[in-house]
Amino acid sequence: MKNNTLKQVLPMFFLALGLHQGTAWSAGLPNAGCTLKTLAGSYSWDETTRTDYSKFKYSLFGAGWVHAVSVGREVNDGKGHITAGQMTINNTFDGKVKTETYTGTVKIKPNCVGTYAITLADGTSGGGGTIYIDPKSRNFTLLDEHNIGTAKFIRDGN
């Protein structure tokens, strides 16, 4: 009984510690002068994810992991809005390639850390997470809110 409880509690302890350290680390970053205007322009991006679907009681050929690759392009208006986005997703769950359009919101702190959330064309959430911006190139990286992947956004226009 003791050993089983320890196996359940220990991973949660490390998860909480990791989340706390990540928050404390980003809070201590210096002011790099980032604003919403820092992200104004268009970006191409890619992301590779994997999700443990066994927690959702899906059986996928004897394995619970679903892998996905996504690519996309979006436009940020420099006022906190993603005005046009499109992504193509290929996953091992059903083997289908899907294309989705989206809009979204971005919030930025002066230390170049922010939040990012998208809404799909059908009105449902497309996810989001924490973004980390390079103030010189204005490229940014998104850590998925479920910690299942990292997307790299590269400026490809004005």
Side-chain angles (χ1 to χ4, degrees):
M1 175 83 170
K2 248 193 231 183
N3 197 13
N4 193 24
T5 303
L6 184 59
K7 285 181 182 178
Q8 292 174 345
V9 172
L10 199 54
M12 295 306 291
F13 169 76
F14 285 116
L15 176 63
L17 182 63
L19 291 174
H20 172 72
Q21 293 298 328
T23 304
W25 175 82
S26 66
L29 290 175
N31 181 338
C34 284
T35 67
L36 291 172
K37 287 185 179 190
T38 304
L39 291 185
S42 59
Y43 293 81
S44 295
W45 61 269
D46 66 89
E47 178 178 26
T48 303
T49 61
R50 71 179 198 152
T51 307
D52 184 1
Y53 270 70
S54 65
K55 296 175 184 175
F56 304 106
K57 301 191 190 286
Y58 288 107
S59 175
L60 302 170
F61 312 110
W65 290 96
V66 172
H67 299 268
V69 176
S70 306
V71 294
R73 187 163 190 281
E74 70 183 38
V75 177
N76 289 278
D77 69 358
K79 298 175 186 173
H81 302 98
I82 301 165
T83 57
Q86 182 172 341
M87 66 178 138
T88 301
I89 306 164
N90 186 358
N91 69 65
T92 60
F93 180 72
D94 56 14
K96 296 180 181 177
V97 176
K98 298 186 287 187
T99 299
E100 301 273 357
T101 58
Y102 63 91
T103 57
T105 58
V106 180
K107 295 179 183 171
I108 310 250
K109 295 178 185 173
N111 67 1
C112 297
V113 176
T115 58
Y116 176 99
I118 63 171
T119 303
L120 302 178
D122 67 4
T124 61
S125 172
T130 303
I131 61 173
Y132 303 90
I133 305 161
D134 176 342
K136 292 186 182 195
S137 69
R138 300 189 333 198
N139 297 331
F140 64 98
T141 302
L142 165 74
L143 175 60
D144 185 277
E145 64 191 340
H146 302 292
N147 294 320
I148 60 173
T150 304
K152 295 171 283 315
F153 289 74
I154 306 296
R155 286 181 52 83
D156 65 5
N158 295 329

